[in-house]
Amino acid sequence: MAPFAARMAPNARVIAPRGRFRLGEGFTFFQRRTDRSLDAATILAEARTFLAARDPAPTPPLVVGYSSGAIFAQALLAASPGGFAGAALLRPEPLAEDFAYPHLNGLPVLSLSGRRDTRRRPNDGRLSARQLRDAGAAVEHHDLDAGHGWAPDDAEARLARRWMQTSGLSDR
C-alpha cells in the first residue's frame, strides 16, 4: 500500500498500519467467519479499538484501504464518521448486506471495484457505494477492467489523483 499511496498522493504523510491477525504471508485487521462471511459487529469493535489506540491527527486523515483494508476502512468510517477527510476503497466488500452507516455529511469516498474480481461478489462494490451514498457520502464508484489485483496502466492511482483533485483533497 505504501507504493500506491506515494503514486496517489506523492506529498502526503503516509501511515501504513498492519492488522493484528496473520493471514497467509501477511496480516489483516479482522478475521472472517469459517464460511468467509463478515461479522460486522466484530469488525466495528476492532475499528473502535484501533481508533482508541492511535494518536489523534492534527487534521482528519484520508483513509485508504485495499481488499480487507477497504473493509476495515469502511468500519473506521462507521465508527468515527467525522474522523476522516475522505476514503479511498479499493476492492471493497460491504460489512453486511443491510449495513447502515451513521450520517457521513458529504464525506468524499472513492470506490474502485474489479469487474473480474473472483474474491468479491459481482455487486459488492456497487452495494458498498450505495450504502455510503445512503448515509450522505459523496461517492465516486468505478468498476475497473481488473480482477482482485491491480488494474493495468496504474488505473487506481490515476483515478485516485483525479478524485483527490476534484474532491479538494489534493493538498493532503
Side-chain angles (χ1 to χ4, degrees):
M1 280 307 296
F4 171 75
R7 292 189 314 279
M8 177 182 171
N11 299 318
R13 187 183 105 172
V14 175
I15 299 169
R18 75 174 192 197
R20 66 185 187 99
F21 300 102
R22 186 167 277 292
L23 179 65
E25 295 182 18
F27 292 86
T28 186
F29 292 97
F30 59 89
Q31 295 179 310
R32 290 178 179 266
R33 295 177 178 136
T34 56
D35 67 358
R36 301 253 331 120
S37 66
L38 301 176
D39 179 351
T42 300
I43 298 170
L44 286 168
E46 289 289 335
R48 289 183 189 100
T49 300
F50 178 86
L51 289 167
R54 75 178 182 137
D55 292 329
T59 58
L62 174 68
V63 62
V64 180
Y66 184 92
S67 191
S68 66
I71 297 165
F72 194 68
Q74 292 172 111
L76 292 172
L77 296 177
S80 181
F84 297 93
L89 309 171
L90 292 79
R91 311 308 183 265
E93 178 180 343
L95 290 164
E97 293 289 322
D98 60 350
F99 191 78
Y101 289 88
H103 188 65
L104 294 173
N105 198 31
L107 183 80
V109 175
L110 176 66
S111 172
L112 302 176
S113 300
R115 282 192 294 272
R116 295 178 280 108
D117 190 340
T118 58
R119 295 185 62 188
R120 298 288 181 260
R121 293 171 301 242
N123 197 39
D124 277 349
R126 288 183 295 280
L127 178 56
S128 289
R130 183 182 54 76
Q131 290 173 344
L132 289 158
R133 274 189 199 103
D134 288 350
V139 180
E140 179 178 323
H141 175 77
H142 297 271
D143 280 316
L144 304 178
D145 185 22
H148 197 70
W150 298 102
D153 303 324
D154 211 21
E156 289 88 355
R158 284 186 298 100
L159 286 166
R161 284 191 302 270
R162 184 183 56 74
W163 168 76
M164 288 182 67
Q165 290 171 345
T166 60
S167 298
L169 298 169
S170 58
D171 60 342
R172 297 204 157 263

